[in-house]
Amino acid sequence: MTASQTAEITGLYRYPIKGLTPEALSRVPLRTGRTLPADRRYAIENGPSGFDPDAPEWKPKIQFLMLARNERLATLDSRFEDATNQMTIRKDGQIVASGDLETAAGRAAIESYFTENFQPELKGPPKVVSGRDHSFSDVARKVVSIINLGSVRAIEAMLGGTAVHPLRFRANLYVKGWPAWSELDLVGQTLAIGEARLKVVKRIVRCPATNVDPETAKRDLEIPPTLSRHLGHMDCGIYAEVIADGEIGVGDAVAMEEPRLV
């Protein structure tokens, strides 16, 4: 990819509770060293994990309810209100649980739903957990995840033309305009989106969560094995760290920042 090949943001999403519904955004502030606001702010512990909210440390995703193993999560429609910390969960259009995630009573209301409805997947009592500005990312860094829609189209071709919903990849930013797989070569590069700057730090290795259709909750594709057969790896998408503040939005250009000459 050349520095002149810019992309365009077509979608912005956050995931307030790990494994639950993506929430679409039109514009969002990025802050140095932070995730998107409230992205993966909460998780649902699947049995005791040792997570300490007063001294939060990264834990592997298998400690929490997640789509890779608990595809029924995709049948739920959850919405988080920043002003009130209220999480509302619907199933088939009906509210099944609601509560303020910053109160014990509110967390208990959410936990009760999973206790009653997610047996036998539970390894112990489900518990809503959070800690300061901790992010329950799949990696132990504060990152923004980016998916190149050109690569998603390439996966569709690998699958013989089968449609692949981009939200299978649960990214923060979806972009168009880059050649398929060119984003994988951006590790170490800096992306410019308006005033914001993001340094690409890692390729994303895909897990079985991508096999789950986000609309039907069916495990109907085998994306990681398909990538492995065709490419020799299971990477799709990149992680980037915010290194300069700025506001970004759908329709914004994503450019590679030219290295400064010294």
Side-chain angles (χ1 to χ4, degrees):
M1 190 193 304
T2 66
S4 63
Q5 287 181 291
T6 61
E8 177 187 331
I9 298 174
T10 64
L12 268 175
Y13 293 87
R14 69 174 188 177
Y15 307 79
I17 292 190
K18 185 178 185 69
L20 294 188
T21 309
E23 294 187 357
L25 306 165
S26 57
R27 297 198 68 78
V28 66
L30 294 184
R31 297 291 178 261
T32 301
R34 305 291 293 273
T35 64
L36 267 67
D39 188 52
R40 276 88 172 182
R41 177 174 166 183
Y42 303 94
I44 302 171
E45 191 179 59
N46 188 3
S49 70
F51 181 81
D52 182 354
D54 294 321
E57 294 183 350
W58 182 84
K59 297 287 183 182
K61 61 187 175 183
I62 59 172
Q63 302 285 353
F64 310 102
L65 290 179
M66 57 173 180
L67 283 173
R69 290 188 176 179
N70 315 110
E71 62 265 30
R72 285 199 296 143
L73 293 173
T75 67
L76 305 177
D77 177 23
S78 61
R79 291 291 179 269
F80 180 71
E81 296 291 337
D82 293 270
T84 62
N85 301 307
Q86 189 82 7
M87 174 61 70
T88 301
I89 301 176
R90 292 177 171 82
K91 183 174 174 58
D92 300 325
Q94 301 297 314
I95 295 176
V96 294
S98 183
D100 179 346
L101 297 186
E102 292 301 310
T103 68
R107 292 190 295 272
I110 301 297
E111 293 161 358
S112 177
Y113 174 78
F114 287 95
T115 298
E116 295 170 7
N117 294 278
F118 271 71
Q119 303 288 351
E121 292 146 282
L122 298 178
K123 301 174 184 177
K127 181 180 179 182
V128 177
V129 290
S130 65
R132 301 175 184 168
D133 62 349
H134 183 74
S135 173
F136 292 93
S137 171
D138 286 352
V139 294
R141 324 174 66 148
K142 299 287 182 62
V143 291
V144 173
S145 57
I146 304 171
I147 282 288
N148 173 12
L149 292 176
S151 299
V152 177
R153 301 289 85 83
I155 294 172
E156 291 178 335
M158 293 175 185
L159 294 169
T162 299
V164 174
H165 198 307
L167 286 179
R168 286 178 184 263
F169 300 93
R170 297 181 68 78
N172 297 127
L173 276 65
Y174 290 88
V175 303
K176 67 177 183 180
W178 286 338
W181 310 118
S182 59
E183 72 281 6
L184 299 181
D185 297 323
L186 293 178
V187 175
Q189 300 294 314
T190 297
L191 303 178
I193 311 174
E195 296 296 318
R197 296 294 183 271
L198 299 90
K199 184 174 182 179
V200 181
V201 295
K202 193 176 188 297
R203 291 157 58 148
I204 303 175
V205 181
R206 303 321 314 197
C207 75
T210 56
N211 296 335
V212 179
D213 187 302
E215 293 183 333
T216 67
K218 293 181 179 178
R219 196 177 294 274
D220 57 359
L221 294 178
E222 294 187 342
I223 288 179
T226 298
L227 292 172
S228 183
R229 285 195 303 271
H230 285 264
L231 303 177
H233 60 72
M234 296 188 295
D235 301 347
C236 181
I238 48 179
Y239 288 122
E241 292 179 333
V242 181
I243 59 173
D245 296 357
E247 185 174 284
I248 66 172
V250 174
D252 285 357
V254 182
M256 280 186 291
E257 188 169 67
E258 297 279 5
R260 292 180 181 178
L261 299 177
V262 293

